[in-house]
Amino acid sequence: MTFAAPVETKSIRFRARSFVAFTLTPEAPLSEWLESLDRWIGNSPGYFAGRPVVLNLNTLKPEVGEIEALVAELGLRGIRIYAIELDGNTALEANLPPVLIGAKEATAGLLMQADSKGRPEETGRPEEAGRAEQGKQPEAPATLMVKTPIRSGQSVFHAHGDVIVLGSVASGSEIVAAGSIHVYGTLRGRASAGVLGHSAARIFCRRNEAELLSVDGWYCTAEEMEPSLRGKAVQAFLEKDTLRIAPFS
């Protein structure tokens, strides 16, 4: 009689981990929304490259066939959709990104909110992504200090509070923070503050050469900034749902 040797089994460990993802929320008419998206990409080429993006379809509510076409359209623009947020029991084809189950309005960070000219809207309140709870301001107690310059191509994401950069921020780089952003050198890249719904966040820099400034989803590109604000110490903040960029002294 022979006996088989016992097979050693190894346990598999599963861990939960949170990531900051960008949310795109298409609205009708879709053609105009895509035009606004193209203007955003034109002002910030490669912005979505390598970024996790969630496609929120709860506003647009497209048919199943339209979802595949939309994902393909976004793919042509270099936007890779990692997951789809869609209420109900809609069954999607296996070739489409998975539908988020039990998702909360908390995962995503940056919204594209623009009128037909690609500028921030000045009336009304945009749909918000990244809110912890409706009507509550997320806490942002932790501060990340970056003691070296941020080089071109580098990205700093901080979902827990403010970011302080003691040096400069090069063109082609970016800072994304849940709280405020302080740059004690020249800001040439992109800076997005308050991305998880912290509307009181601000951006401060000693010398403004920024490609894009954004607070709580409202943004302004270099082309839209007043020339008098270039090369100066400035602060960016929200005032009555309008992004303001003002001299800082």
Side-chain angles (χ1 to χ4, degrees), residues 4-238:
V7 178
E8 182 181 353
T9 59
K10 294 183 178 180
S11 61
I12 300 176
R13 178 177 296 177
F14 293 92
R15 291 179 176 176
R17 183 173 295 183
S18 298
F19 293 89
V20 175
F22 293 146
T23 292
L24 288 178
T25 306
E27 298 178 358
L30 186 58
S31 59
E32 293 184 8
W33 183 86
L34 287 170
E35 288 178 3
S36 295
L37 178 62
D38 288 337
R39 280 190 289 271
W40 172 282
I41 295 174
N43 290 327
S44 302
Y47 189 87
F48 292 101
R51 306 279 185 257
V53 178
V54 174
L55 186 62
N56 185 344
L57 298 178
N58 290 321
T59 299
L60 188 63
K61 294 181 173 25
E63 299 294 331
V64 174
E66 297 172 326
I67 296 175
E68 185 170 358
L70 177 56
V71 170
E73 281 282 348
L74 296 174
L76 293 175
R77 291 163 170 82
I79 301 175
R80 181 180 177 183
I81 303 301
Y82 282 68
I84 293 175
E85 188 174 355
L86 185 61
D87 291 339
N89 297 315
T90 304
L92 301 183
E93 298 294 333
N95 62 316
L96 289 173
V99 175
L100 291 177
I101 300 175
K104 298 179 181 179
E105 269 189 37
T107 308
L110 188 61
L111 283 176
M112 182 191 67
Q113 297 288 349
D115 61 13
S116 59
K117 296 181 181 180
R119 291 181 171 81
E121 298 175 1
E122 295 188 0
T123 59
R125 187 69 183 134
E127 179 188 0
E128 298 169 334
R131 296 291 188 197
E133 294 181 31
Q134 186 70 23
K136 289 187 178 181
Q137 197 69 271
E139 296 181 1
T143 297
L144 172 66
M145 182 175 294
V146 181
K147 298 180 181 180
T148 58
I150 299 176
R151 299 188 300 272
S152 180
Q154 288 185 318
S155 297
V156 174
F157 290 84
H158 186 51
H160 305 291
D162 295 356
V163 173
I164 298 175
V165 181
L166 300 184
S168 294
V169 180
S171 177
S173 63
E174 66 177 333
I175 305 171
V176 179
S180 297
I181 296 173
H182 308 254
V183 178
Y184 289 98
T186 300
L187 173 56
R188 294 188 176 91
R190 300 182 292 264
S192 300
V195 295
L196 297 183
H198 193 55
S199 60
R202 297 194 176 210
I203 299 172
F204 304 88
C205 65
R206 180 165 292 178
R207 182 179 175 87
N208 172 38
E209 299 291 348
E211 298 168 358
L212 178 144
L213 298 177
S214 171
V215 176
D216 193 18
W218 301 99
Y219 73 92
C220 181
T221 64
E223 292 78 8
E224 297 165 339
M225 292 181 199
E226 292 291 334
S228 61
L229 298 173
R230 307 293 289 177
K232 303 291 180 58
V234 302
Q235 60 173 320
F237 56 94
L238 290 183

